[in-house]
Amino acid sequence: MESSFVHPNAKIGANVKIHPFCYIAENVEIGDNCEIGPNATIYDYVKMGNNCRVFPGAVVGAIPQDLKFEDEISYVEIGNNVTIRECATINRGTAASGKGKTIVGNNTLIMSYAHVAHDCEVGNNCILVSYVGIAGETKVDDWAIIGGASAAHQFSNIGAHAMVAGGSRIGKDVPPYAMAGKLPLSYCGINIVGLRRRGFTVEQIERIKEIYKTIYMSGLNVSAACKKVEEEFEESVEKRTILDFIARSKRGIIRYNPKAVADE
């Protein structure tokens, strides 16, 4: 730790291991049992929970790459049990967004060279694979996985338990429980393996399948299909999660496109 710079006003929890050549700024709070790897940088206004690991070359809390930023105070909040791998970057928020805060939830893995831009919200138990880039104000809901070298347009939303194939261009929202892939990015069914691993019952999985069959394969437009689901399906957590996601979507959801080109 002697070869690192740790500002004396930084709040460092119990049993934190700080490797050589780190930089930790003044307005930083690091929880208990964290490990900050060599050459990692943690700038001002970062709050990190317990049991986190930051690997060499990662940069957390740099000012946003946003022309609206005017050197205001803004924040990064990292939950518990978060792993930030080599050379990943997580930027602070921008006040102009109305948020001023970038959030990463608990138990999330940010792999090497991934980028989390200003005012993004990454939920709990998510995985951003290496070289993923999510643009400003992207929202990644709990348990979502984004495959390597994918890029998300600003204001995109990736729903809970969704899985996005590597190398994807995410220009529209990916709804909950969905598998997304191909070119252009399309609905490819539901994330059955992931749902089974997380304890979803056969009944729940079948319910999700039938809802998406109505939304994507009934011949109705999205609004009419959602109305049909609302009227004809019994109330459930899965139904409400899907319909609420679609209702608040700003960019519209990805489509089912049988003519989409398979990923190479």
Side-chain angles (χ1 to χ4, degrees):
M1 184 168 170
E2 293 79 5
S3 56
S4 294
F5 175 82
V6 180
H7 196 283
N9 292 337
K11 297 179 181 178
I12 308 298
N15 196 35
V16 172
K17 186 175 183 180
I18 299 174
H19 289 264
F21 309 114
C22 294
Y23 175 87
I24 298 177
E26 178 178 8
N27 298 291
V28 170
E29 186 174 337
I30 297 175
D32 298 339
N33 304 308
C34 292
E35 182 173 359
I36 312 301
N39 297 293
T41 300
I42 304 179
Y43 284 114
D44 279 310
Y45 308 115
V46 172
K47 183 177 181 180
M48 184 178 297
N50 301 324
N51 305 307
C52 294
R53 298 183 71 192
V54 181
F55 278 71
V59 179
V60 181
I63 62 172
Q65 299 168 68
D66 180 359
L67 295 177
K68 298 186 299 298
F69 182 71
E70 296 182 346
D71 205 30
E72 67 268 22
I73 293 175
S74 60
Y75 302 92
V76 169
E77 289 189 2
I78 308 288
N80 300 319
N81 308 306
V82 172
T83 299
I84 302 167
R85 291 302 304 250
E86 297 84 354
C87 301
T89 54
I90 303 174
N91 287 171
R92 281 164 45 193
T94 300
S97 71
K99 300 175 184 176
K101 184 185 298 183
T102 302
I103 299 171
V104 177
N106 301 322
N107 309 307
T108 283
L109 171 58
I110 310 292
M111 289 192 188
S112 57
Y113 293 92
H115 176 63
V116 179
H118 67 91
D119 302 292
C120 288
E121 295 181 39
V122 180
N124 302 315
N125 304 292
C126 295
I127 301 175
L128 273 57
V129 180
S130 296
Y131 299 98
V132 162
I134 58 173
E137 301 187 56
T138 295
K139 190 172 188 294
V140 183
D141 294 336
D142 294 350
W143 295 101
I145 299 174
I146 305 179
S150 296
H153 194 285
Q154 61 184 351
F155 306 109
S156 297
N157 193 177
I158 294 88
H161 300 278
M163 185 167 187
V164 180
S168 294
R169 291 174 289 182
I170 306 168
K172 290 187 175 294
D173 294 344
V174 179
Y177 316 116
M179 291 277 289
K182 302 188 176 182
L183 300 172
L185 191 66
S186 304
Y187 172 78
C188 298
I190 69 169
N191 183 15
I192 293 176
V193 173
L195 296 178
R196 286 174 178 164
R197 287 174 177 169
R198 293 159 202 157
F200 280 69
T201 65
V202 172
E203 180 183 12
Q204 288 174 302
I205 291 171
E206 287 302 315
R207 182 183 299 126
I208 294 166
K209 278 185 181 178
E210 291 303 312
I211 290 172
Y212 277 125
K213 191 179 292 184
T214 301
I215 290 171
Y216 281 116
M217 299 167 193
S218 63
L220 300 171
N221 63 35
V222 173
S223 296
C226 287
K227 183 178 180 183
K228 183 178 176 71
V229 170
E230 187 71 81
E231 293 172 348
E232 297 184 6
F233 284 78
E234 291 184 3
E235 192 61 33
S236 65
V237 171
E238 296 76 36
K239 169 185 166 180
R240 190 51 46 206
T241 298
I242 293 168
L243 292 182
D244 287 353
F245 180 96
I246 294 172
R248 68 173 182 265
S249 174
K250 297 177 181 178
R251 300 190 57 77
I253 62 170
I254 58 172
R255 299 301 180 95
Y256 171 65
N257 184 356
K259 296 182 180 179
V261 178
D263 301 318
E264 295 181 355

